Amino acid sequence: MGLSNLLMKLKLIRLKKRGLKIGENCKIYDAHIDYGHCFLIEIGNEVTITNSSILAHDASTKQSLGKTKVGRVVIGDRVFIGWGSTVLPNVKIGKDVIVAAGSIVNKDIPEGVIVAGVPAKIIGKTSDYIEKNKLLMNEVPVFSKPWDQKTENEMKEMYEKLENNIGFDE
């Protein structure tokens, strides 16, 4: 286990002690989960969060009103939150949702959709996206060894095969 993964694991233990609810088989990489209000956050099963922020508070009102806005965040099962996204307070994300990289989620998202943008808007159905990519796997390179186990030759081969193409990796 890399240092980054170990630190994230330790961070999650502290967050859970403060009330964060998190399901089984979650993969959380370099994410920021609101420490001060983590007890307002619930993360379902099989969720992946990559280098993103989950916020249950908004301090934009603190200086003027003396109070910070707060709200619950509920993330359903089998949600993928792409790199650099932010989930704001008072948001519920349904199950089987893909949040595209760099998105800002400021409203509830129904289940089974893909959202993208600032603010995030529905751009498609998760099931259609998965089916499209399942078919694509028959036409493009597919690699079957985890990134951290690839040899130098395998990395070179991958680099060459992806010169003008997308592919799929373990």
Side-chain angles (χ1 to χ4, degrees):
M1 174 183 300
L3 180 60
S4 180
N5 286 343
L6 179 61
L7 292 174
M8 191 71 230
K9 207 172 221 183
L10 293 171
K11 190 191 238 184
L12 286 172
I13 290 168
R14 284 184 33 222
L15 290 166
K16 285 181 194 178
K17 285 181 182 177
R18 290 194 41 80
L20 172 69
K21 293 173 191 72
I22 186 167
E24 299 295 318
N25 300 316
C26 292
K27 295 176 178 79
I28 301 180
Y29 305 103
D30 298 325
H32 170 79
I33 297 173
D34 192 332
Y35 182 78
H37 294 87
C38 59
F39 58 92
L40 296 173
I41 299 171
E42 184 176 333
I43 300 171
N45 298 312
E46 299 175 34
V47 171
T48 300
I49 302 172
T50 60
N51 196 49
S52 297
S53 296
I54 312 299
L55 300 174
H57 83 283
D58 171 357
S60 64
T61 57
K62 182 73 172 175
Q63 187 173 356
S64 298
L65 303 177
K67 300 287 182 190
T68 296
K69 292 194 296 188
V70 294
R72 290 188 57 207
V73 174
V74 179
I75 300 171
D77 296 339
R78 296 174 305 281
V79 170
F80 176 86
I81 299 177
W83 189 276
S85 295
T86 302
V87 178
L88 295 174
N90 196 36
V91 166
K92 291 177 181 57
I93 299 175
K95 65 183 181 177
D96 300 309
V97 167
I98 297 172
V99 176
S103 298
I104 306 288
V105 180
N106 66 346
K107 293 186 176 145
D108 291 354
I109 306 296
E111 67 179 55
V113 298
I114 302 168
V115 297
V118 179
K121 296 194 183 326
I122 296 173
I123 62 168
K125 290 172 49 176
T126 304
S127 58
D128 293 343
Y129 177 77
I130 297 301
E131 186 59 32
K132 174 183 160 187
N133 282 282
K134 187 177 184 181
L135 294 171
L136 183 60
M137 287 178 74
N138 296 317
E139 302 171 18
V140 300
V142 177
F143 307 96
S144 298
K145 193 184 270 187
W147 66 268
D148 60 345
Q149 295 175 19
K150 290 187 189 329
T151 66
E152 193 170 316
N153 285 338
E154 289 167 328
M155 289 187 281
K156 183 179 178 192
E157 175 191 5
M158 189 174 181
Y159 180 83
E160 290 168 359
K161 285 186 175 183
L162 296 175
E163 182 178 358
N164 297 309
N165 216 347
I166 193 87
F168 291 87
D169 196 15
E170 188 69 21

